[in-house]
Amino acid sequence: MKHGALFIISAPSGAGKTTILKKIMAALPALGFSVSHTTRQARTGEIDGTDYHFVTRSYFQEMLQAQAFLEWAEVHDNFYGTSRKSVTDQLNAGVDVLLDIDVQGARQVRESMEIPSISIFIAPPSLDALRNRLTGRATDSPETIRLRLHNAITEMADMHRYDHIIVNDVLDEAIEMVKAVILAERSRSGRLRSGAPLPVLIEANANDV
Ligand code: ADP
Ligand code: 5GP
């Protein structure tokens, strides 16, 4: 059984990453998602264990001490981390895994080289569009929105480190682009799953033609 591939997806808050990932998860088979641990409060509608594992700061510290995180970061005044076990279990089972993490976490995964990854940065078409989306989403206070916009500027400075940059202007086009990156990676010859149907011509003898 082949190992799954690890995809890192980062974006400034409000760029549309969650919207895109939900569509991708529904559209592509054999795609797992790493549910992060966070110390932030759940937003209305978020489900513990599905959107995030919502934990206390002391529990997060315990996981840190136990080196349970593949990567972790403090983002917008809260802690977020990716459980190493959750990722490696899925990859070992041949499932491709999506990591929805910030630029600091992406840098850690890339630099540690513990697990090879393919990274995608989703950018908003402009700062104004980002402000409108954060305001329109109506999940954060004006103060939180200001902090997220402020952080967006430093996050965007990191986008050239990613393998792919996808601008989320027209939503459907951005979804297709992310899907294309994942499908292209799956078609790499070194990644073809055992049992994947290959053209029978490969086994044919040239003299048979
Ligand atoms: P993120 O997960 O990156 O913080 P969300 O997926 O929650 O962002 O999107 C923020 C808001 O922007 C949501 O209200 C979403 O419906 C909206 N949105 C996402 N993509 C687009 C787009 N291409 N054009 C306009 N609005 C969008
Ligand atoms: P939100 O609070 O809006 O869900 O997420 C805020 C930011 O934290 C986003 O940029 C998101 O990608 C990032 N994030 C979510 N989970 C993790 C994680 O496990 N590690 C890191 N480094 N960032 C994360």
Side-chain angles (χ1 to χ4, degrees):
M1 163 96 59
K2 290 273 180 209
H3 254 237
L6 184 63
F7 294 94
I8 296 176
I9 319 253
S10 303
S13 180
K17 187 175 46 175
T18 309
T19 310
I20 292 172
L21 291 189
K22 284 200 169 140
K23 292 277 187 192
I24 301 274
M25 296 293 298
L28 294 182
L31 195 54
F33 182 75
S34 165
V35 179
S36 295
H37 288 72
T38 183
T39 59
R40 94 152 152 71
Q41 295 288 310
R43 297 186 186 123
T44 311
E46 282 184 329
I47 301 166
D48 188 23
T50 301
D51 297 287
Y52 281 104
H53 299 289
F54 294 100
V55 298
T56 59
R57 285 193 171 225
S58 65
Y59 187 85
F60 195 94
Q61 290 295 341
E62 275 174 37
M63 286 188 72
L64 248 182
Q65 303 260 305
Q67 303 195 327
F69 292 125
L70 174 65
E71 64 70 38
W72 69 276
E74 185 174 0
V75 191
H76 315 310
D77 295 337
N78 289 297
F79 291 101
Y80 296 82
T82 301
S83 149
R84 178 179 282 106
K85 186 175 183 322
S86 134
V87 170
T88 52
D89 282 355
Q90 294 188 77
L91 292 178
N92 290 340
V95 174
D96 294 336
V97 177
L98 288 180
L99 280 192
D100 170 350
I101 59 178
D102 86 316
V103 293
Q104 306 170 74
R107 218 179 297 153
Q108 288 170 43
V109 176
R110 236 183 269 124
E111 287 174 5
S112 80
M113 294 198 285
E114 188 178 330
I115 304 175
S117 58
I118 302 99
S119 57
I120 305 172
F121 190 93
I122 296 173
S126 67
L127 204 58
D128 270 350
L130 191 63
R131 184 181 295 110
N132 290 340
R133 287 179 194 175
L134 283 169
T135 312
R137 188 170 69 183
T139 51
D140 301 295
S141 66
E143 195 184 325
T144 301
I145 290 178
R146 241 191 322 274
L147 175 66
R148 284 173 184 243
L149 281 172
H150 180 264
N151 291 344
I153 292 163
T154 40
E155 287 162 353
M156 300 276 285
D158 243 49
M159 72 182 161
H160 65 280
R161 295 176 199 269
Y162 286 69
D163 299 315
H164 304 269
I165 299 172
I166 294 174
V167 178
N168 177 22
D169 187 359
V170 178
L171 180 61
D172 286 345
E173 287 176 12
I175 291 168
E176 286 309 308
M177 297 273 278
V178 176
K179 240 195 256 176
V181 169
I182 295 172
L183 292 177
E185 186 59 31
R186 285 183 173 179
S187 74
R188 264 185 213 280
S189 57
R191 280 212 186 277
L192 284 178
R193 287 158 204 290
S194 50
L198 287 172
V200 287
L201 271 179
I202 287 170
E203 280 146 30
N205 187 319
N207 294 331
D208 296 341
V209 179

